[in-house]
């Protein structure tokens, strides 16, 4: 079991550019979550999916943020256009039924 | 909405000593789950311990144990025989009985002094 895999590990981009973060959940897991971590706000849920279907996206901060899960083994979080305040660590996590969440190692995004 | 509060932004402990991290939560549910996650400088989120609300017995995992007080809505983490590798951010988290997302506290940064 390779765990939840996120890429890239680090991303540095300029304001206004499009950013795409990627996640491969653990095989067999039916829930996928995207969280954002900042010093000021801690860990915030952005969106989560069940069986590839978005269940709750109320945490997505603005229309600049979008997430997709085209199949059970892949999800993306896209920011377009990016802004400096989007700088944070973005975590993907997956779980099966009532099992605890398994987190990826996160993507540190820096927008200059 | 459920909330999780960690009132200690930072704590420190001497190596080999015991430390307790506090967590309180607010919910109207009777069935739920509570967790402690550890985040070392590598930023990986590691599950330390979990507690089911319907269980009266406090969960224990080696040197880690919890004091779960359901009526008081309190869920503290005790680390015994602290080791240098325990230095990390610790997050308390709550989840309803359905597979709803985790709600996290703001975290407590634990330093271990040699």
């Amino acid at each position: 079991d390779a765990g939840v895999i996120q890429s890239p590990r680090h991303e540095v981009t300029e304001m206004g550019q499009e950013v795409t973060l990627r996640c491969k959940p653990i095989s067999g897991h039916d829930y996928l979550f995207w969280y954002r971590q900042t010093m000021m706000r801690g860990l915030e849920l952005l969106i989560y999916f069940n069986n590839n279907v978005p269940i709750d996206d109320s945490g997505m901060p603005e229309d600049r943020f979008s997430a997709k899960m085209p199949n059970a083994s892949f999800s993306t979080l896209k920011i377009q256009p990016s802004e400096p305040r989007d700088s944070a660590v973005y975590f993907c996590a997956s779980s099966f039924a009532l099992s605890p969440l398994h987190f990826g190692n996160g993507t540190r995004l820096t927008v200059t | 909405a459920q909330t999780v509060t960690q009132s200690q932004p930072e704590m420190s402990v001497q190596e080999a000593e015991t430390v307790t991290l506090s967590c309180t939560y607010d919910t109207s549910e009777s069935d739920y789950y509570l967790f402690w996650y550890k985040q070392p400088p590598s930023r990986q989120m590691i599950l330390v311990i979990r507690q089911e609300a319907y269980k009266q017995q406090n969960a224990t995992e080696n040197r880690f144990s919890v004091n779960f007080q359901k009526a008081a809505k309190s869920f503290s983490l005790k680390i015994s025989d602290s080791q240098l590798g325990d230095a990390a951010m610790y997050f308390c988290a709550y989840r309803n009985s359905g597979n709803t997302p985790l709600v996290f506290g703001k975290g407590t940064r634990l330093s271990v002094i040699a």
Side-chain angles (χ1 to χ4, degrees):
Chain A
D1 182 356
V4 176
I5 300 172
Q6 290 187 247
S7 64
R9 184 155 175 80
H10 304 278
E11 177 78 38
V12 180
T13 191
E14 292 183 347
M15 183 174 63
Q17 297 298 306
E18 177 179 295
V19 175
T20 299
L21 311 182
R22 297 172 175 80
C23 176
K24 176 179 170 57
I26 292 173
S27 177
H29 282 191
D30 55 351
Y31 282 83
L32 184 140
F33 306 83
W34 283 100
Y35 283 87
R36 178 172 68 175
Q37 184 180 26
T38 60
M39 288 291 292
M40 292 297 295
R41 301 172 69 90
L43 280 153
E44 304 173 279
L45 176 71
L46 299 177
I47 185 172
Y48 77 101
F49 297 81
N50 177 221
N51 292 322
N52 314 337
V53 176
I55 302 301
D56 184 356
D57 66 354
S58 60
M60 297 285 261
E62 300 172 32
D63 291 345
R64 298 184 296 107
F65 286 70
S66 62
K68 294 182 180 180
M69 192 166 186
N71 57 64
S73 59
F74 184 65
S75 177
T76 59
L77 178 66
K78 186 176 295 186
I79 309 172
Q80 166 63 19
S82 58
E83 296 183 3
R85 59 188 168 133
D86 301 330
S87 298
V89 177
Y90 291 81
F91 284 100
C92 175
S94 70
S95 70
F96 174 72
L98 296 178
S99 68
L101 265 59
H102 295 258
F103 284 81
N105 287 334
T107 295
R108 179 177 295 280
L109 173 65
T110 302
V111 183
T112 60
Chain B
Q2 290 82 13
T3 59
V4 178
T5 302
Q6 293 179 251
S7 59
Q8 306 152 316
E10 296 184 353
M11 293 279 286
S12 62
V13 62
Q14 290 286 140
E15 196 175 5
E17 295 297 309
T18 296
V19 64
T20 298
L21 309 184
S22 301
C23 173
T24 59
Y25 56 94
D26 185 25
T27 183
S28 58
E29 303 290 329
S30 60
D31 192 16
Y32 49 86
Y33 299 84
L34 297 162
F35 305 83
W36 279 97
Y37 278 85
K38 171 185 177 182
Q39 187 180 40
S42 67
R43 80 170 181 250
Q44 184 182 7
M45 293 288 285
I46 303 166
L47 177 64
V48 174
I49 200 165
R50 80 183 267 190
Q51 174 82 43
E52 291 88 351
Y54 63 86
K55 290 186 177 179
Q56 293 186 343
Q57 186 173 5
N58 289 325
T60 298
E61 288 288 342
N62 300 315
R63 296 182 296 107
F64 298 87
S65 61
V66 299
N67 183 4
F68 173 47
Q69 301 289 329
K70 191 171 184 178
K73 297 181 182 177
S74 171
F75 182 61
S76 60
L77 174 70
K78 186 173 80 171
I79 307 174
S80 304
D81 186 25
S82 296
Q83 301 175 0
L84 295 177
D86 295 334
M89 283 288 289
Y90 286 83
F91 292 95
C92 180
Y94 166 100
R95 191 186 73 196
N96 282 337
S97 58
N99 204 351
T100 53
L102 288 177
V103 176
F104 286 91
K106 291 289 181 68
T108 296
R109 182 175 300 281
L110 178 66
S111 301
V112 181
I113 303 166

